[in-house]
Amino acid sequence: MRTQNYSRKRQAIYDLMLSTQEHPSAEWIYTKLKPEFPDLSLGTVYRNLKLLEENGAIRAVTVISGSEHYDAIMTPHPHFICNLCGKIQDLPAKFLLPELTSVKRIRGVGQIDLTSLIYYGCCEECSDENKV
Amino acid sequence: MRTQNYSRKRQAIYDLMLSTQEHPSAEWIYTKLKPEFPDLSLGTVYRNLKLLEENGAIRAVTVISGSEHYDAIMTPHPHFICNLCGKIQDLPAKFLLPELTSVKRIRGVGQIDLTSLIYYGCCEECSDENKV
DNA sequence: ATTCATGCAAACAATTTGCACCCTG
DNA sequence: CAGGGTGCAAATTGTTTGCATGAAT
């Protein structure tokens, strides 16, 4: 991990990541922080997200319609992603069965660092809207 | 599903998808088919991959270093993705526990269409190389 | 002072799209 | 001949990067 100086903007990005239920993209974070940091640039958000990921402070969930989304909750847990609105929801860790996370190596395949379980479907808000 | 004409190129793309162990990106398919179809264009590959996906003939696995990768095996099964070389391997369906695939709906969250289980780590080829 | 952090704009790379033309049914 | 299908190139979009400047140690 490369040595880092303190940076008020990086701190703000991380704090925002921690405080939200969203699974933000760079753009989302940029828009949220811009009022407080009028001189914030999108490049800084990208750089810091990458840095935080390298430091193990946050992790990438997946790419949704072209943009990467991040999660600051580092306890292993699955996600639910709505195919209609793209919203990502955390699922309780119990949905990630111990039989899955206990697998550390698959013979003839490789060593496992991370297990990603994602359910794709239609969230309740979207299915309610579609009924109306 | 919109009505479609027969297209020799679409057929070739699908055949190639079926015949390979790779989990191709658009670029990979383009390169493979270009010799046989010298007038093939990358746009056509993108258009047809999207069409095949809409038709349920193939499915997107995930985005790896910026590009989408597809799978023509539609039987539910997990994947192993190497963080170093990016190679995607199919895992036997038994690795996708029935407790996972039997979940069709999560209360307060939504309906599930698809369950994606991806193991990320270091494949055997890459760990061998790193030892040398 | 030295190294890190940032704004800005240009560069990049994957994908999409408009349009004219060809092919399939 | 009507509606796909495609090549081509331009446009879009998310992300990265080079450089000059400002901040942290």
Side-chain angles (χ1 to χ4, degrees):
Chain A
M1 185 191 307
R2 121 189 55 156
T3 64
Q4 288 168 211
N5 283 339
Y6 175 80
S7 143
R8 211 160 74 82
K9 285 169 183 164
R10 177 158 51 241
Q11 186 67 53
I13 291 171
Y14 183 53
D15 289 346
L16 179 55
M17 288 285 315
L18 283 175
S19 72
T20 182
Q21 301 275 27
E22 304 276 333
H23 294 73
S25 63
E27 192 72 40
W28 187 92
I29 290 176
Y30 174 74
T31 307
K32 281 282 181 184
L33 292 182
K34 189 67 174 174
E36 186 184 350
F37 299 88
D39 67 340
L40 180 64
S41 94
L42 200 44
T44 296
V45 177
Y46 277 107
R47 274 188 282 237
N48 279 308
L49 285 174
K50 182 145 291 192
L51 215 52
L52 288 166
E53 188 185 8
E54 286 169 5
N55 295 353
I58 65 176
R59 87 175 189 79
V61 181
T62 195
V63 173
I64 300 178
S65 16
S67 35
E68 187 68 73
H69 290 252
Y70 293 90
D71 192 346
I73 301 177
M74 295 303 282
T75 314
H77 63 280
H79 293 99
F80 177 93
I81 299 180
C82 177
N83 286 324
L84 295 183
C85 67
K87 184 176 58 183
I88 305 178
Q89 296 181 61
D90 289 311
L91 297 180
K94 65 174 178 186
F95 278 90
L96 192 56
L97 306 175
E99 297 92 299
L100 293 182
T101 47
S102 62
V103 184
K104 296 302 177 203
R105 174 168 166 275
I106 298 175
R107 281 219 310 176
V109 177
Q111 292 285 144
I112 295 167
D113 294 332
L114 187 145
T115 304
S116 159
L117 175 60
I118 303 179
Y119 289 105
Y120 290 89
C122 177
C123 75
E124 295 205 332
E125 287 71 29
C126 283
S127 65
D128 285 352
E129 280 176 23
N130 291 351
K131 271 177 202 152
V132 180
Chain B
M1 185 190 308
R2 118 190 57 158
T3 65
Q4 287 170 211
N5 284 341
Y6 175 80
S7 143
R8 213 160 73 82
K9 284 169 184 165
R10 177 157 51 240
Q11 186 68 51
I13 291 170
Y14 183 53
D15 289 346
L16 179 56
M17 289 283 316
L18 282 176
S19 71
T20 181
Q21 301 275 26
E22 303 276 332
H23 295 73
S25 63
E27 191 73 40
W28 187 93
I29 290 177
Y30 174 75
T31 306
K32 281 282 181 185
L33 292 181
K34 189 67 175 174
E36 187 184 350
F37 299 88
D39 68 338
L40 180 66
S41 95
L42 199 46
T44 296
V45 176
Y46 277 107
R47 273 187 282 234
N48 279 308
L49 285 174
K50 182 145 290 190
L51 255 171
L52 289 167
E53 188 186 6
E54 286 169 5
N55 296 352
I58 65 176
R59 87 175 190 79
V61 181
T62 195
V63 173
I64 300 178
S65 15
S67 34
E68 187 69 72
H69 290 253
Y70 293 91
D71 193 346
I73 301 176
M74 295 302 282
T75 314
H77 62 280
H79 292 99
F80 178 92
I81 299 180
C82 178
N83 286 324
L84 296 183
C85 68
K87 184 177 60 183
I88 305 179
Q89 297 180 61
D90 289 312
L91 296 180
K94 66 173 179 185
F95 278 90
L96 193 56
L97 305 175
E99 295 93 300
L100 293 183
T101 47
S102 62
V103 184
K104 297 300 176 203
R105 174 169 167 274
I106 300 175
R107 282 220 309 179
V109 177
Q111 294 284 144
I112 295 168
D113 293 332
L114 187 148
T115 303
S116 160
L117 176 60
I118 302 179
Y119 288 105
Y120 290 89
C122 177
C123 75
E124 294 206 333
E125 287 69 29
C126 283
S127 65
D128 285 352
E129 279 175 24
N130 292 351
K131 270 177 203 153
V132 180

